[in-house]
Amino acid sequence: MRVYIAGRFEAQARLRVVRDLVEALGHEVIGTWLDEGSTSEPTYAEALEYAVRDFGEIRACDLFILDTLDEDLRGGREAEYGYAWGIGKVTLIVGPRRNVFHTLAEKRVEEWAAALRWLMI
């Protein structure tokens, strides 16, 4: 299964570990944002490129996972979640419901261990 993991940009290191665990279960994680190295504010052209790329990867996934364990004021992961849900992707939330739209997810678990168990099925 092709999986896209969305989360707070500052959670990259933690989510790369999760990516490795998801891949060890035989799934393909296609969110390339996890490997971006720059922490500086992107230019308009870079931001546009990232957004288009990320939406393309979301269109290509079979499962969209939203990590809400960290609070995030920027909202990029929420835009990705709304897009994924809107185009009919299966959605899984790991962490607390942070807004009313999170009630729309097919599945929600409190932590990654439960998500990994669910992915083994």
Side-chain angles (χ1 to χ4, degrees):
M1 177 173 18
R2 290 167 298 170
V3 178
Y4 186 93
I5 299 172
R8 187 171 186 224
F9 189 82
E10 291 77 9
Q12 275 182 313
R14 178 174 59 79
L15 294 175
R16 281 194 291 264
V17 172
V18 168
R19 174 192 56 198
D20 295 346
L21 294 170
V22 170
E23 288 178 341
L25 294 174
H27 304 292
E28 176 187 6
V29 176
I30 59 174
T32 56
W33 75 272
L34 288 167
D35 294 314
E36 287 176 12
S38 176
T39 57
S40 63
E41 189 66 28
T43 65
Y44 177 83
E46 290 169 332
L48 182 60
E49 179 184 327
Y50 298 156
V52 169
R53 179 206 60 206
D54 291 353
F55 277 2
E57 291 174 350
I58 292 166
R59 282 192 304 276
C61 79
D62 302 303
L63 172 65
F64 179 92
I65 303 176
L66 174 63
D67 177 290
T68 64
L69 293 173
D70 301 314
E71 290 190 39
D72 187 7
L73 300 177
R74 286 193 306 271
R77 69 182 181 188
E78 300 299 340
E80 291 176 334
Y81 169 73
Y83 180 72
W85 188 89
I87 62 172
K89 297 298 176 179
V90 175
T91 53
L92 165 64
I93 293 178
V94 178
R97 285 186 184 98
R98 296 200 178 271
N99 61 59
V100 297
F101 299 101
H102 291 172
T103 62
L104 300 172
E106 279 81 6
K107 178 90 174 148
R108 189 186 70 79
V109 296
E110 291 293 330
E111 29 89 284
W112 275 104
L116 293 169
R117 285 191 301 275
W118 185 73
L119 285 168
M120 285 191 268
I121 298 173

